[in-house]
Amino acid sequence: MKKKSGLLFIIRIVKLLVGILNLSLTAKYFGVSLEKDVWLLALSVVLFLDMAIWGPINETFRSKFIFLRGEEGENEALQKTKSLLIFSLIISICLVCLIFIYPQFLAKIIAPTYSGLQYGKLIKMILIAAPILLITQLSAIATSILNAYESFFVPEITGFATSIINLFLLIFLAPYIGINSLVLSYYIGALLLLILLILQIKKLKISIFSYSNIKFNDFKIFFIFALPFFLPYSFGQISAVLEKTLVSTLGIGYVSALDYSRKFTDIFTNVLTSVLVTMLVPVLSSKFIEKKTREFIASFMEILQLGLLLLSFVIPVFTSCSLSFVFIFFNKGKIPSNMLFQISELTIYYSWSILAVFIYVIFGMALLSSNRSKKYALLGVCAQVISIVINLIFISTVGIYIFPISLFISHFISGLIMGHHFPYKSKKLILVFFKYIGILVLTTVIVFFVNKMFDNNIDPFLHIISNLIFIAILILGSLYLFNLDEKKIVYKYIMKFKLKCQNF
């Protein structure tokens, strides 16, 4: 599983790089502007609504489908999936219609201080973005179905291809149609992704397109299984909407600034956590059903170690090179210098939130895969409540910096409690967890002090490259110093390289 996870992670890292290029072009053409703020607010409120309604079902689908297939057979599981697909389609169309009828309701929630021209532009953009809810949900179900059949790479490669298309559309259209190029490229990419996912399902001959004997009770099975998660997802969307609402009150441009600052780490977090959900839940669910305790713990530890080791590389990079990243990608003349420094500081804070989110998600997936969804849901609610309370209390004193701080605190606390409720007791797991956390902290501290000792007034590219090499050396040294399992993988590739050199 580690090999598959590593390959999947590499594919998503390449996709991440394309996403960063897309972000850089967005900064070049739109900077921190009202148009960019309006697009972000409209897209956010539509996606927030989608996640609040469908997020719990999408997250639990793979696990429930595997349980159904194991208990009732593949045909029955697919029949229930057809019902889920049909009712998702109907309900999503109804939601889109409601957005068209009452866009003012969403506009007042997401940007209460907007009026006049600002308000008018936001209403228009919400109407334009509304159908995204339907497309996104259909793509999410299609991806989940493919994942349930262990088709992990086709959805990722398809998503990567659409990201490339988005990039070229933005390059060619932005100079002519402005912010509408972001809207058009998003729609084209989303529709193309959905079409390619459907074609892959047909290619694998997964029978979900023959709609007969559709029952609401079959849809209800997935709904009831996901029911404990609606509360944390609702609080999660409240927290996300509240964040955008509070940021919009700080002034024009702050919504864009916060988006830029968290984009590097958000893309990486999404890559890491989506790999966990895609690969970990089906595997752990199968091990739990078959009562293979050792295999369950071993599979979990593989991903835990790999994730923490990757974070030991990523967090020091962002901590030491945030300003260099910001100047390379965002210093395009449309963002004031004072805001560039603020984006840099926020990027450092958000980089540490990746650790908290990773701990929260990976232990949450363990609870979900062991049929402890209610406990996972309750702790998910706690995380969101903590975040909401911190944001409301400290926004006036800490300002925009409170958002990454509250994200770290809330998810770290809930993640550790989830770890305490891990399905099986394992001292080795505890020791491995603290060992890899120690390596992460030690690496970051060393890199931080080394950067403080030397003059950082150097070329941003050179600064990043030198830190990447230094951190890579520290990680490789840690593999051997702490006798980590991953050193076997490194040794294997070194031997392969030597063998090729000898043959050459």
mmCIF file of all heavy atoms in Angstrom, residues 4 8 29 32 34 63 73 82 106 108 117 121 125 129 166 187 211 228 233 254 297 299 308 342 428 472 489:
data_model
loop_
_atom_site.group_PDB
_atom_site.id
_atom_site.type_symbol
_atom_site.label_atom_id
_atom_site.label_comp_id
_atom_site.label_asym_id
_atom_site.label_seq_id
_atom_site.Cartn_x
_atom_site.Cartn_y
_atom_site.Cartn_z
ATOM 1 N N LYS A 4 1.729 2.268 -3.564
ATOM 2 C CA LYS A 4 0.599 2.890 -4.250
ATOM 3 C C LYS A 4 0.353 4.301 -3.728
ATOM 4 O O LYS A 4 0.099 5.229 -4.497
ATOM 5 C CB LYS A 4 -0.670 2.050 -4.052
ATOM 6 C CG LYS A 4 -0.724 0.797 -4.899
ATOM 7 C CD LYS A 4 -2.070 0.121 -4.737
ATOM 8 C CE LYS A 4 -2.177 -1.126 -5.614
ATOM 9 N NZ LYS A 4 -3.502 -1.780 -5.457
ATOM 10 N N LEU A 8 0.564 7.703 -5.878
ATOM 11 C CA LEU A 8 -0.598 8.588 -5.903
ATOM 12 C C LEU A 8 -0.219 9.978 -5.403
ATOM 13 O O LEU A 8 -0.656 10.999 -5.947
ATOM 14 C CB LEU A 8 -1.712 7.994 -5.038
ATOM 15 C CG LEU A 8 -3.096 8.638 -5.120
ATOM 16 C CD1 LEU A 8 -3.647 8.549 -6.536
ATOM 17 C CD2 LEU A 8 -4.056 7.979 -4.144
ATOM 18 N N TYR A 29 -2.776 38.557 -13.049
ATOM 19 C CA TYR A 29 -3.856 39.213 -13.778
ATOM 20 C C TYR A 29 -4.846 39.963 -12.877
ATOM 21 O O TYR A 29 -5.423 40.966 -13.293
ATOM 22 C CB TYR A 29 -4.627 38.189 -14.610
ATOM 23 C CG TYR A 29 -3.831 37.615 -15.758
ATOM 24 C CD1 TYR A 29 -3.573 36.254 -15.837
ATOM 25 C CD2 TYR A 29 -3.327 38.446 -16.757
ATOM 26 C CE1 TYR A 29 -2.836 35.718 -16.885
ATOM 27 C CE2 TYR A 29 -2.578 37.923 -17.811
ATOM 28 C CZ TYR A 29 -2.344 36.560 -17.873
ATOM 29 O OH TYR A 29 -1.608 36.032 -18.901
ATOM 30 N N VAL A 32 -4.985 41.636 -5.734
ATOM 31 C CA VAL A 32 -5.987 41.696 -4.655
ATOM 32 C C VAL A 32 -6.992 42.768 -5.064
ATOM 33 O O VAL A 32 -6.770 43.953 -4.894
ATOM 34 C CB VAL A 32 -5.340 42.005 -3.285
ATOM 35 C CG1 VAL A 32 -4.621 40.789 -2.748
ATOM 36 C CG2 VAL A 32 -4.346 43.165 -3.370
ATOM 37 N N LEU A 34 -11.443 43.757 -6.021
ATOM 38 C CA LEU A 34 -12.842 43.470 -5.738
ATOM 39 C C LEU A 34 -13.337 42.301 -6.588
ATOM 40 O O LEU A 34 -14.049 41.418 -6.089
ATOM 41 C CB LEU A 34 -13.699 44.711 -6.014
ATOM 42 C CG LEU A 34 -15.222 44.524 -5.884
ATOM 43 C CD1 LEU A 34 -15.594 44.120 -4.467
ATOM 44 C CD2 LEU A 34 -15.964 45.797 -6.312
ATOM 45 N N SER A 63 -16.522 3.593 2.390
ATOM 46 C CA SER A 63 -16.600 2.655 3.499
ATOM 47 C C SER A 63 -17.926 1.898 3.486
ATOM 48 O O SER A 63 -17.960 0.664 3.625
ATOM 49 C CB SER A 63 -16.433 3.402 4.830
ATOM 50 O OG SER A 63 -16.493 2.519 5.915
ATOM 51 N N GLY A 73 -23.434 -8.470 -1.401
ATOM 52 C CA GLY A 73 -23.045 -8.769 -2.773
ATOM 53 C C GLY A 73 -22.916 -7.512 -3.620
ATOM 54 O O GLY A 73 -23.473 -6.457 -3.299
ATOM 55 N N LYS A 82 -27.078 3.304 -7.361
ATOM 56 C CA LYS A 82 -27.902 3.957 -8.387
ATOM 57 C C LYS A 82 -28.930 4.888 -7.747
ATOM 58 O O LYS A 82 -29.164 6.001 -8.224
ATOM 59 C CB LYS A 82 -28.613 2.901 -9.233
ATOM 60 C CG LYS A 82 -27.706 2.053 -10.098
ATOM 61 C CD LYS A 82 -28.506 0.961 -10.785
ATOM 62 C CE LYS A 82 -27.596 -0.057 -11.456
ATOM 63 N NZ LYS A 82 -28.360 -1.165 -12.085
ATOM 64 N N LEU A 106 -27.709 34.312 0.344
ATOM 65 C CA LEU A 106 -26.313 33.880 0.441
ATOM 66 C C LEU A 106 -25.365 35.075 0.454
ATOM 67 O O LEU A 106 -24.357 35.071 1.163
ATOM 68 C CB LEU A 106 -25.962 32.953 -0.726
ATOM 69 C CG LEU A 106 -26.687 31.601 -0.766
ATOM 70 C CD1 LEU A 106 -26.262 30.803 -1.994
ATOM 71 C CD2 LEU A 106 -26.406 30.797 0.491
ATOM 72 N N LYS A 108 -25.871 38.100 1.652
ATOM 73 C CA LYS A 108 -25.890 38.767 2.956
ATOM 74 C C LYS A 108 -25.120 37.975 4.013
ATOM 75 O O LYS A 108 -24.549 38.540 4.937
ATOM 76 C CB LYS A 108 -27.336 38.983 3.415
ATOM 77 C CG LYS A 108 -28.061 40.106 2.701
ATOM 78 C CD LYS A 108 -27.386 41.451 2.956
ATOM 79 C CE LYS A 108 -28.143 42.589 2.297
ATOM 80 N NZ LYS A 108 -27.421 43.894 2.505
ATOM 81 N N LEU A 117 -22.370 48.737 -5.632
ATOM 82 C CA LEU A 117 -21.679 48.035 -6.710
ATOM 83 C C LEU A 117 -21.111 46.701 -6.234
ATOM 84 O O LEU A 117 -21.204 45.685 -6.945
ATOM 85 C CB LEU A 117 -20.551 48.919 -7.259
ATOM 86 C CG LEU A 117 -19.705 48.304 -8.393
ATOM 87 C CD1 LEU A 117 -20.556 48.065 -9.631
ATOM 88 C CD2 LEU A 117 -18.520 49.225 -8.725
ATOM 89 N N LYS A 121 -22.295 43.066 -7.827
ATOM 90 C CA LYS A 121 -21.348 42.146 -8.465
ATOM 91 C C LYS A 121 -21.348 40.776 -7.788
ATOM 92 O O LYS A 121 -21.227 39.741 -8.454
ATOM 93 C CB LYS A 121 -19.935 42.743 -8.427
ATOM 94 C CG LYS A 121 -19.723 43.881 -9.406
ATOM 95 C CD LYS A 121 -18.255 44.294 -9.458
ATOM 96 C CE LYS A 121 -18.036 45.325 -10.557
ATOM 97 N NZ LYS A 121 -16.604 45.702 -10.707
ATOM 98 N N MET A 125 -22.306 37.120 -9.498
ATOM 99 C CA MET A 125 -21.339 36.023 -9.503
ATOM 100 C C MET A 125 -21.901 34.777 -8.816
ATOM 101 O O MET A 125 -21.593 33.651 -9.222
ATOM 102 C CB MET A 125 -20.045 36.468 -8.821
ATOM 103 C CG MET A 125 -18.883 35.500 -9.027
ATOM 104 S SD MET A 125 -18.437 35.280 -10.774
ATOM 105 C CE MET A 125 -17.517 36.796 -11.074
ATOM 106 N N ALA A 129 -22.108 31.086 -10.500
ATOM 107 C CA ALA A 129 -21.413 29.952 -9.876
ATOM 108 C C ALA A 129 -22.347 28.848 -9.408
ATOM 109 O O ALA A 129 -21.894 27.733 -9.121
ATOM 110 C CB ALA A 129 -20.581 30.457 -8.691
ATOM 111 N N ASN A 166 -7.135 24.123 -17.655
ATOM 112 C CA ASN A 166 -7.484 25.354 -16.928
ATOM 113 C C ASN A 166 -6.370 26.388 -17.032
ATOM 114 O O ASN A 166 -6.615 27.589 -17.204
ATOM 115 C CB ASN A 166 -7.742 25.045 -15.454
ATOM 116 C CG ASN A 166 -9.118 24.463 -15.216
ATOM 117 O OD1 ASN A 166 -9.948 24.465 -16.103
ATOM 118 N ND2 ASN A 166 -9.353 23.948 -14.035
ATOM 119 N N TYR A 187 -15.430 26.098 -15.186
ATOM 120 C CA TYR A 187 -16.551 25.315 -15.727
ATOM 121 C C TYR A 187 -16.075 24.277 -16.737
ATOM 122 O O TYR A 187 -16.489 23.107 -16.696
ATOM 123 C CB TYR A 187 -17.571 26.239 -16.391
ATOM 124 C CG TYR A 187 -18.709 26.622 -15.479
ATOM 125 C CD1 TYR A 187 -18.780 27.888 -14.906
ATOM 126 C CD2 TYR A 187 -19.728 25.722 -15.191
ATOM 127 C CE1 TYR A 187 -19.824 28.245 -14.069
ATOM 128 C CE2 TYR A 187 -20.780 26.069 -14.358
ATOM 129 C CZ TYR A 187 -20.815 27.332 -13.795
ATOM 130 O OH TYR A 187 -21.859 27.680 -12.956
ATOM 131 N N TYR A 211 -31.114 2.630 -14.859
ATOM 132 C CA TYR A 211 -31.918 3.113 -13.739
ATOM 133 C C TYR A 211 -33.264 2.394 -13.669
ATOM 134 O O TYR A 211 -34.237 2.791 -14.302
ATOM 135 C CB TYR A 211 -32.117 4.626 -13.842
ATOM 136 C CG TYR A 211 -30.811 5.355 -13.887
ATOM 137 C CD1 TYR A 211 -30.430 6.064 -15.023
ATOM 138 C CD2 TYR A 211 -29.940 5.307 -12.807
ATOM 139 C CE1 TYR A 211 -29.211 6.710 -15.065
ATOM 140 C CE2 TYR A 211 -28.728 5.960 -12.834
ATOM 141 C CZ TYR A 211 -28.369 6.657 -13.970
ATOM 142 O OH TYR A 211 -27.161 7.298 -14.014
ATOM 143 N N PRO A 228 -24.284 10.804 11.356
ATOM 144 C CA PRO A 228 -23.477 11.389 12.443
ATOM 145 C C PRO A 228 -22.523 12.479 11.977
ATOM 146 O O PRO A 228 -22.074 13.302 12.773
ATOM 147 C CB PRO A 228 -22.700 10.175 12.987
ATOM 148 C CG PRO A 228 -23.504 8.992 12.586
ATOM 149 C CD PRO A 228 -24.106 9.356 11.267
ATOM 150 N N TYR A 233 -19.988 18.447 9.779
ATOM 151 C CA TYR A 233 -19.897 19.133 8.494
ATOM 152 C C TYR A 233 -20.648 20.459 8.520
ATOM 153 O O TYR A 233 -20.190 21.457 7.947
ATOM 154 C CB TYR A 233 -20.432 18.242 7.373
ATOM 155 C CG TYR A 233 -19.335 17.505 6.637
ATOM 156 C CD1 TYR A 233 -18.864 16.285 7.091
ATOM 157 C CD2 TYR A 233 -18.756 18.046 5.490
ATOM 158 C CE1 TYR A 233 -17.852 15.614 6.432
ATOM 159 C CE2 TYR A 233 -17.751 17.390 4.821
ATOM 160 C CZ TYR A 233 -17.302 16.162 5.286
ATOM 161 O OH TYR A 233 -16.290 15.518 4.636
ATOM 162 N N TYR A 254 -8.638 41.754 1.315
ATOM 163 C CA TYR A 254 -8.212 40.834 2.372
ATOM 164 C C TYR A 254 -8.673 39.399 2.107
ATOM 165 O O TYR A 254 -7.999 38.446 2.507
ATOM 166 C CB TYR A 254 -8.715 41.309 3.737
ATOM 167 C CG TYR A 254 -7.831 42.358 4.353
ATOM 168 C CD1 TYR A 254 -8.093 43.712 4.175
ATOM 169 C CD2 TYR A 254 -6.714 42.001 5.096
ATOM 170 C CE1 TYR A 254 -7.276 44.692 4.731
ATOM 171 C CE2 TYR A 254 -5.890 42.970 5.660
ATOM 172 C CZ TYR A 254 -6.172 44.308 5.471
ATOM 173 O OH TYR A 254 -5.358 45.269 6.020
ATOM 174 N N ILE A 297 -3.262 -2.385 11.901
ATOM 175 C CA ILE A 297 -2.271 -1.499 12.530
ATOM 176 C C ILE A 297 -1.099 -1.248 11.588
ATOM 177 O O ILE A 297 -0.617 -0.113 11.458
ATOM 178 C CB ILE A 297 -1.777 -2.101 13.859
ATOM 179 C CG1 ILE A 297 -2.939 -2.186 14.865
ATOM 180 C CG2 ILE A 297 -0.641 -1.270 14.445
ATOM 181 C CD1 ILE A 297 -2.592 -2.922 16.143
ATOM 182 N N SER A 299 -0.989 -1.363 8.235
ATOM 183 C CA SER A 299 -1.385 -0.484 7.127
ATOM 184 C C SER A 299 -1.509 0.957 7.594
ATOM 185 O O SER A 299 -1.089 1.892 6.898
ATOM 186 C CB SER A 299 -2.718 -0.955 6.526
ATOM 187 O OG SER A 299 -2.601 -2.254 5.984
ATOM 188 N N LEU A 308 4.020 11.786 8.060
ATOM 189 C CA LEU A 308 4.832 12.609 8.971
ATOM 190 C C LEU A 308 6.220 12.881 8.389
ATOM 191 O O LEU A 308 6.788 13.965 8.597
ATOM 192 C CB LEU A 308 4.951 11.922 10.331
ATOM 193 C CG LEU A 308 3.665 11.899 11.176
ATOM 194 C CD1 LEU A 308 3.881 11.117 12.464
ATOM 195 C CD2 LEU A 308 3.190 13.315 11.504
ATOM 196 N N GLN A 342 2.673 40.292 4.592
ATOM 197 C CA GLN A 342 1.610 39.707 5.403
ATOM 198 C C GLN A 342 1.247 38.304 4.888
ATOM 199 O O GLN A 342 1.052 37.374 5.676
ATOM 200 C CB GLN A 342 0.381 40.613 5.377
ATOM 201 C CG GLN A 342 -0.693 40.197 6.380
ATOM 202 C CD GLN A 342 -1.831 41.201 6.446
ATOM 203 O OE1 GLN A 342 -2.476 41.505 5.435
ATOM 204 N NE2 GLN A 342 -2.083 41.742 7.627
ATOM 205 N N LYS A 428 3.812 0.367 20.069
ATOM 206 C CA LYS A 428 4.692 0.664 18.936
ATOM 207 C C LYS A 428 4.167 1.856 18.139
ATOM 208 O O LYS A 428 4.947 2.715 17.697
ATOM 209 C CB LYS A 428 4.807 -0.562 18.031
ATOM 210 C CG LYS A 428 5.793 -0.371 16.884
ATOM 211 C CD LYS A 428 5.898 -1.618 16.033
ATOM 212 C CE LYS A 428 6.885 -1.396 14.875
ATOM 213 N NZ LYS A 428 6.983 -2.589 14.003
ATOM 214 N N ALA A 472 16.605 18.040 2.638
ATOM 215 C CA ALA A 472 16.672 16.666 2.128
ATOM 216 C C ALA A 472 17.807 15.896 2.794
ATOM 217 O O ALA A 472 17.653 14.718 3.153
ATOM 218 C CB ALA A 472 16.854 16.685 0.609
ATOM 219 N N ILE A 489 13.730 1.650 1.695
ATOM 220 C CA ILE A 489 13.297 2.077 0.366
ATOM 221 C C ILE A 489 14.405 2.865 -0.318
ATOM 222 O O ILE A 489 14.708 2.656 -1.503
ATOM 223 C CB ILE A 489 12.019 2.936 0.479
ATOM 224 C CG1 ILE A 489 10.894 2.116 1.117
ATOM 225 C CG2 ILE A 489 11.591 3.460 -0.889
ATOM 226 C CD1 ILE A 489 9.639 2.911 1.412
#
